[in-house]
Amino acid sequence: MNVGWIGLGKLGAPCALALQHFAGHDVIGYDLNRVRVERMFSEGGDHGEQGLTDLIDRGPLKLAHTAAEVVAHADVVFVAVQTPHAPAYGGETPAPWDRRDFEYAFLVQAVRDVCRAAAHQGKPITLVVVSTVLPGTCNKHIRGLLNPFVSLVYSPLFIAMGTTIADFLRPEFVLMGADRPEHLAPVVEVYGQLHDRPVFKTSIESAELIKVAYNTVISAKVVIGNAIMEICEKTGADCDEVIDALSLATDRVISSKYLRGGMGDGGACHPRDLIAMSWLAQRLDLSYDLLGQMAIAREAQTGWLANLVERWADQTGHPICILGKAYKPESVLTAGSPALLLAHQLRERGHEVIHKDIYVDGEFDRPDEPRVYVIGTKHPIHATCNFAPGSVVLDPHGYMPDQAGVTVIRIGRKS
């Protein structure tokens, strides 16, 4: 099938390449920043994305100069442009009390360009909006741009930066929303060439909510897991044992994934989606802004960890060093990183903080003097580090081994 993909950023480019090389579709891509995309294709490197270099080596995408060129080529046009939050709402720092919706200007412009091109060319197309939006957005911002040549489908992806390709190739399910069921057929065909995963078909409004609800439920599990870790640290219980027991309750608790004690929720989607959903709760005047309280809990739990770091720094007199800036293991991506939030909170309290990440910075500091270390990211390599005698290692994840002459504290765990 002839496919167009508008928006070739960190998520869009891997997905478009996967459709080309794994599904065999004839894909053409377009991005406002063509220079950045051409550089990505020519320079190689992992770009923080597992498997992207291999896909680029198979052959880059054809690139269009305009959205109109994409429409001329494609029967199905995916729009995966950014719907950003202001930097203060990304999760790396405490979020302002004044909540906000996402910014939709890029999405509106891309959809407008596609719709105008389809009308001008007199060509019927299926427009698939992939970008994350809050419920009601398509009705408010998108439907008014449509014309008789454009059928709208809202089909967001459940993918994470760093593992985009694997997530795209093997999703738990594919979500598709449309006003009319027949609009879904071309999109089902596109994905049917890629995998055999189930398709959940619904209205556009429900699909909008399912996407952000999925992310906020994960955020809730992280908050609960960290609350259990904090209780265990204060009572002598073991948080891993607690979660292992809860994990057996598959009828009611479902699974232990994301429920482990550790750092706060992170990534480019989850913290910002949680904050945006809090804005929506306030705008809809819900009886209680539970989602806003979850965002507050995420920051408060990081604040509690900062308290623990402070106590050990005051007790030992050692400098503070956070190991890991990335939001997840073996990644260079730092969007929404809880480790950055921790560093921010400690610096706000007046502490000097050394912050290192072997993946992000390309090197690992190996000091001779003792420090108070915090394992901010669960990089496997941290478990092999030799710390200076007298150091204190605070491990929220519970995976660091004991080391002679070093105090290792697996937070909320007995052993």
Side-chain angles (χ1 to χ4, degrees), residues 6 62 163 182 209 232 273 275 286 314-315 347 388-389 407:
I6 295 178
K62 292 180 291 187
T163 57
E182 59 267 29
L209 181 54
C232 290
D273 285 8
I275 294 166
L286 295 190
D314 291 343
Q315 180 177 328
R347 287 170 179 146
T407 301

Side-chain angles (χ1 to χ4, degrees), residues 269-288:
C269 296
H270 292 191
R272 73 159 209 156
D273 285 8
L274 186 61
I275 294 166
M277 288 284 273
S278 173
W279 171 87
L280 183 64
Q282 295 174 8
R283 187 174 181 94
L284 296 176
D285 194 25
L286 295 190
S287 59
Y288 185 74

Side-chain angles (χ1 to χ4, degrees), residues 43 64 69 89 101 108 118 164 170 191 206-207 254 271 280 304 327 346 353-354 359 377 385 399 407 409:
E43 290 182 354
E69 286 184 45
Y89 297 87
D101 192 359
V108 169
T164 299
R170 194 67 180 172
Y191 282 118
S206 290
I254 302 177
L280 183 64
W304 172 78
Y327 85 94
L346 287 167
V353 178
I354 304 162
Y359 288 87
T377 309
C385 293
Y399 77 118
T407 301
I409 301 168

Side-chain angles (χ1 to χ4, degrees), residues 176-204:
M176 297 184 192
D179 293 330
R180 298 169 58 181
E182 59 267 29
H183 291 170
L184 299 175
V187 191
V188 171
E189 182 178 348
V190 169
Y191 282 118
Q193 296 295 111
L194 188 66
H195 52 61
D196 60 355
R197 304 306 294 153
V199 176
F200 188 87
K201 303 175 183 179
T202 185
S203 67
I204 287 175

Side-chain angles (χ1 to χ4, degrees), residues 8-314:
L8 298 173
K10 293 180 179 178
L11 299 179
C15 293
L17 284 163
L19 284 178
Q20 175 174 283
H21 294 303
F22 291 114
H25 296 302
D26 188 353
V27 182
I28 189 170
Y30 171 68
D31 193 283
L32 283 174
N33 193 339
R34 184 184 176 100
V35 173
R36 174 181 58 81
V37 175
E38 289 179 337
R39 185 182 302 119
M40 175 181 67
F41 288 157
S42 64
E43 290 182 354
D46 63 10
H47 308 280
E49 186 61 51
Q50 298 173 16
L52 180 57
T53 300
D54 292 339
L55 284 184
I56 292 174
D57 289 344
R58 294 190 184 195
L61 294 173
K62 292 180 291 187
L63 295 179
H65 290 85
T66 64
E69 286 184 45
V70 175
V71 171
H73 168 86
D75 302 306
V76 177
V77 177
F78 290 83
V79 174
V81 300
Q82 59 177 319
T83 50
H85 239 171
Y89 297 87
E92 300 94 342
T93 59
W97 281 101
D98 179 23
R99 306 300 198 209
R100 292 187 189 177
D101 192 359
F102 303 134
E103 172 55 57
Y104 298 117
F106 295 106
L107 176 60
V108 169
Q109 187 59 55
V111 170
R112 181 182 290 117
D113 291 345
V114 169
C115 291
R116 285 177 176 174
H120 179 73
Q121 297 172 25
K123 181 181 179 184
I125 63 165
T126 298
L127 169 66
V128 184
V129 173
V130 176
S131 310
T132 299
V133 303
L134 288 182
T137 299
C138 285
N139 187 52
K140 181 178 180 180
H141 294 291
I142 303 299
R143 281 194 174 100
L145 303 174
L146 304 178
N147 58 60
F149 296 97
V150 180
S151 300
L152 175 64
V153 173
Y154 183 62
S155 184
L157 301 172
F158 300 96
I159 55 181
M161 288 194 296
T163 57
T164 299
I165 296 168
D167 296 341
F168 187 60
L169 293 175
R170 194 67 180 172
E172 294 166 294
F173 65 100
V174 177
L175 176 63
M176 297 184 192
D179 293 330
R180 298 169 58 181
E182 59 267 29
H183 291 170
L184 299 175
V187 191
V188 171
E189 182 178 348
V190 169
Y191 282 118
Q193 296 295 111
L194 188 66
H195 52 61
D196 60 355
R197 304 306 294 153
V199 176
F200 188 87
K201 303 175 183 179
T202 185
S203 67
I204 287 175
E205 289 77 10
S206 290
E208 290 172 322
L209 181 54
I210 289 167
K211 166 60 179 178
V212 287
Y214 180 100
N215 287 346
T216 52
V217 168
I218 290 175
S219 295
K221 293 179 76 173
V222 174
V223 167
I224 292 169
N226 285 340
I228 291 171
M229 178 181 70
E230 185 174 343
I231 293 169
C232 290
E233 180 67 16
K234 295 177 177 180
T235 63
D238 188 295
C239 66
D240 288 343
E241 291 180 348
V242 174
I243 299 307
D244 287 343
L246 294 178
S247 302
L248 299 176
T250 55
D251 287 342
R252 296 181 181 178
V253 180
I254 302 177
S255 81
S256 63
K257 194 167 186 179
Y258 293 105
L259 197 55
R260 293 285 167 183
M263 296 293 289
D265 199 10
C269 296
H270 292 191
R272 73 159 209 156
D273 285 8
L274 186 61
I275 294 166
M277 288 284 273
S278 173
W279 171 87
L280 183 64
Q282 295 174 8
R283 187 174 181 94
L284 296 176
D285 194 25
L286 295 190
S287 59
Y288 185 74
D289 182 13
L290 175 63
L291 304 177
Q293 293 303 309
M294 285 169 49
I296 293 169
R298 174 184 181 268
E299 294 174 9
Q301 288 170 345
T302 304
W304 172 78
L305 181 58
N307 293 339
L308 192 61
V309 176
E310 278 187 315
R311 288 202 298 271
W312 279 99
D314 291 343

